[in-house]
Amino acid sequence: QVSLIESGGGSVQAGGSLTLSCVASGNLFSRRGMAWFRQAPGEDREFVAAIGTRDVTDYGNSVKGRFSISRDDAKNTVYLQMNSLKFEDTAVYYCAFGRGSYGSRWPENYDPWGQGIQVTVSE
């Protein structure tokens, strides 16, 4: 069973940057797509970014141009570099492990999920 451990969250002022990391256990990481989703209080879960095994990336419209997803297969780690953060980026961010090799916007294509990590952006 794969487990995911997220790190790098915290509090930052608007305009600042944070980098989230997610480390996966086991030996399947290099063959699976990975993604980040987020959920703010009272809101639905929102797609943030995804990356496939060939480094093809996809981004949600609200973060395009500000966030960047990358992966290091040697470290079983996926990253989310978040720049120009806005108050509305405040949410719990979840790392997700793909069922296949592609990156997808749809949460049903991922299992398991990380526990989530809080990102708070103050104005």
Side-chain angles (χ1 to χ4, degrees), residues 66-99:
R66 299 187 297 121
F67 290 13
S68 178
I69 188 171
S70 61
R71 63 189 296 156
D72 185 338
D73 289 349
K75 296 181 178 180
N76 276 18
T77 302
V78 61
Y79 303 96
L80 184 68
Q81 174 68 44
M82 305 184 291
N83 298 324
S84 302
L85 282 161
K86 304 176 182 180
F87 174 75
E88 49 265 40
D89 293 319
T90 297
V92 176
Y93 284 70
Y94 296 91
C95 173
F97 190 85
R99 297 180 185 271

Side-chain angles (χ1 to χ4, degrees), residues 11-16 85-90 119-123:
S11 298
V12 64
Q13 288 189 325
L85 282 161
K86 304 176 182 180
F87 174 75
E88 49 265 40
D89 293 319
T90 297
V119 171
T120 302
V121 184
S122 58
E123 294 184 304

